[in-house]
Amino acid sequence: MTLTDIAAPSVFETVESEVRSYCRAWPVVFEQARGSRLYDEHGRPFLDFFAGAGSLNYGHNNPVLKRALLDYLARDGVTHGLDMSTTAKRDFLATFHSAVLEPRALNYKVMFPGPTGTNAVEAALKLARKITGRETVVSFTNAFHGMSLGSLATTGNAAKRAGAGVSLPHVTRMPYDHYLDGRMPDFLWFERLLSDPGSGLDRPAAVIVETVQGEGGINVARAEWLRGLADLCRRHEMLLIVDDVQMGCGRTGEFFSFEEAGITPDIVTLSKSISGYGLPMALCLFRPELDVWQPGEHNGTFRGNNPAFVTATAAIDTYWRDDALRDRTLARAARIESALGDLLGEDGRSGVALRGRGLVWGLEFTDGERAAAVCRRAFELGLLLETSGPHDEVVKLLPPLTVTDDELDEGLGILARSVRHAAERVAL
């Protein structure tokens, strides 16, 4: 081997921070993306069951959304608008109200915080504390709500919390659904703490919850558990915040993930796929009587990302004027559950659990190394998957909602081969 045979470090290694993560799992340089596939700079295709961590529910470069965006830019539409009134914002608000909120009888005001999920969560927490005059917020085991300090305080993952460098106060943790394996009635501990003046629990301003914990390991809350939580919040005058950043915009079937449970949260956070095109955008929704903000009291330089308003409007007009996408999502969910159930039934395969809703599914392995081995093999075979869970022990499936049946079958086939390969490696 000569010196010229040794690859020089890439600019990503010499210039970019060590904090980078996804590129370590997928060590190629991507150049193009269309629909459900990414292509590296050599033209090799990868089927994408990651979908921008849920930011690309309608696939890469969706042609309808791309056309709307290109037309808007071609006519010199406003790009950066802070919270100024623009035609793009007006069109989005009117469309979101008529196609999403009104059909669901949801009377929410719409707030544009900074353009990320954690911005929306920060706004929700701040608003809840402002309204109630209380500091404590209740979140749940294995929750993930963002990486800025307020959101991170409500996040459960120890590794992510360790990066804060400061204490993360004013949050109390409660067990999520199934956390205690059914050995305790729902909310028994929570209710007792709220009712006992000697418990030491300060009266909470709000409870924040994900209906499906994506980063936490695809933990799915039962509809009856969510209804019980909503009732508990109502009886104890705590605001209920549903973090729908990853599970909203149709990921679980309905537009909002809480619809199945028949609850109406006080506050809802949306981001990721609300723009439809992977452009930064976030919303904080809340009941009109909670709109106590003073002008400019919570703001952000990029809360007026008008190109995102354009693609969001096109996405809602295209996919949410009827129930077609919801019905396709639920049908494909059944297809995934059946295929993965068959996989786990092979040869009495043990030590693997399946769970999910809509088009978010997880395979839980006994340890993180087995899950990582599945994802590595899948990448070698041309499929992008990530892990989640407290020990990265869950292989997470997050395909675009627009994935075709053929693409879904192809991805599930690669996943099955990868699971078998990892099992064979363990056996050796």
Side-chain angles (χ1 to χ4, degrees):
M1 178 181 292
T2 66
L3 289 177
T4 56
D5 294 322
I6 301 173
S10 71
V11 68
F12 305 110
E13 296 168 297
T14 59
V15 177
E16 190 179 1
S17 166
E18 293 297 322
V19 78
R20 63 192 187 279
S21 60
Y22 291 115
C23 57
R24 299 178 190 272
W26 305 323
V28 297
V29 178
F30 294 105
E31 186 173 32
Q32 291 185 307
R34 288 187 299 277
S36 299
R37 297 186 194 273
L38 280 159
Y39 299 82
D40 72 12
E41 60 185 341
H42 304 296
R44 183 189 175 191
F46 291 84
L47 189 56
D48 185 3
F49 276 23
F50 172 65
S55 296
L56 296 164
N57 281 2
Y58 313 110
H60 294 272
N61 285 303
N62 182 293
V64 176
L65 312 190
K66 180 166 67 174
R67 184 73 267 159
L69 177 60
L70 291 175
D71 288 347
Y72 182 77
L73 295 176
R75 63 177 182 267
D76 292 331
V78 174
T79 300
H80 178 271
L82 294 164
D83 68 357
M84 293 183 289
S85 298
T86 64
T87 55
K89 185 200 281 190
R90 181 175 61 199
D91 290 347
F92 169 74
L93 286 169
T95 300
F96 187 71
H97 183 265
S98 66
V100 175
L101 297 180
E102 202 168 44
R104 294 163 177 80
L106 293 173
N107 185 21
Y108 286 141
K109 296 292 289 290
V110 178
M111 175 185 178
F112 299 98
T116 68
T118 197
N119 291 143
V121 170
E122 294 284 0
L125 298 176
K126 184 189 290 187
L127 181 61
R129 287 167 170 143
K130 178 180 174 65
I131 290 165
T132 63
R134 307 173 212 148
E135 295 181 351
T136 300
V137 170
V138 171
S139 66
F140 291 93
T141 50
N142 289 313
F144 178 79
H145 296 291
M147 298 296 279
S148 53
L149 290 181
S151 302
L152 192 57
T154 62
T155 290
N157 186 279
K160 291 178 172 63
R161 291 170 61 85
V166 297
S167 60
L168 299 167
H170 309 306
V171 173
T172 296
R173 207 84 48 194
M174 291 292 164
Y176 192 72
D177 194 15
H178 304 299
Y179 187 76
L180 298 173
D181 300 322
R183 290 172 294 177
M184 182 181 293
D186 294 342
F187 310 114
L188 176 64
W189 175 242
F190 195 177
E191 183 97 57
R192 181 65 179 269
L193 291 179
L194 290 168
S195 303
D196 182 2
S199 70
L201 174 63
D202 293 328
R203 190 180 180 195
V207 175
I208 185 167
V209 67
E210 304 155 275
T211 65
V212 180
Q213 293 182 327
E215 296 303 309
I218 318 301
N219 304 312
V220 182
R222 293 166 296 140
E224 56 267 34
W225 187 86
L226 292 168
R227 287 192 290 269
L229 178 61
D231 177 67
L232 183 70
C233 288
R234 184 168 52 253
R235 287 187 288 106
H236 289 274
E237 298 181 329
M238 303 176 294
L239 296 176
L240 176 60
I241 304 169
V242 168
D243 181 343
D244 235 2
V245 167
Q246 188 170 81
M247 298 303 155
C249 303
R251 176 53 59 181
T252 63
E254 302 287 354
F255 186 88
F256 294 105
S257 70
F258 56 80
E259 291 182 59
E260 180 189 55
I263 63 174
T264 303
D266 300 295
I267 304 174
V268 180
T269 61
L270 288 174
S271 187
K272 291 192 181 287
S273 276
I274 187 59
S275 82
Y277 202 75
L279 297 176
M281 181 178 173
L283 304 177
C284 187
L285 314 175
F286 38 81
R287 293 188 287 107
E289 58 269 31
L290 304 182
D291 192 8
V292 298
W293 294 114
Q294 295 298 310
E297 191 173 14
H298 187 90
N299 55 35
T301 302
F302 295 101
R303 65 195 185 278
N305 184 1
N306 282 253
F309 298 159
V310 171
T311 54
T313 301
I316 292 169
D317 267 332
T318 303
Y319 294 106
W320 295 104
R321 290 290 183 184
D322 58 31
D323 294 331
L325 181 64
R326 181 203 66 183
D327 294 345
R328 286 200 303 272
T329 297
L330 295 176
R332 286 167 181 157
R335 196 184 190 105
I336 292 175
E337 186 172 19
S338 175
L340 295 184
D342 290 345
L343 172 64
L344 300 191
E346 291 179 4
D347 303 319
R349 193 181 303 280
S350 61
V352 187
L354 169 66
R355 52 182 177 264
R357 265 183 69 194
L359 284 183
V360 53
W361 288 83
L363 286 175
E364 181 185 23
F365 292 83
T366 52
D367 58 76
E369 183 48 46
R370 287 189 65 190
V374 171
C375 290
R376 281 195 301 270
R377 183 57 177 163
F379 173 74
E380 293 169 359
L381 297 174
L383 175 67
L384 302 183
L385 297 168
E386 73 163 339
T387 58
S388 67
H391 304 287
D392 289 320
E393 75 279 19
V394 178
V395 173
K396 180 180 179 182
L397 283 73
L398 211 67
L401 306 184
T402 52
V403 66
T404 67
D405 288 339
D406 287 345
E407 289 168 338
L408 191 59
D409 290 344
E410 178 187 348
L412 291 171
I414 294 174
L415 174 61
R417 290 168 61 190
S418 303
V419 170
R420 295 182 192 115
H421 180 268
E424 290 166 1
R425 300 286 290 183
V426 170
L428 293 175

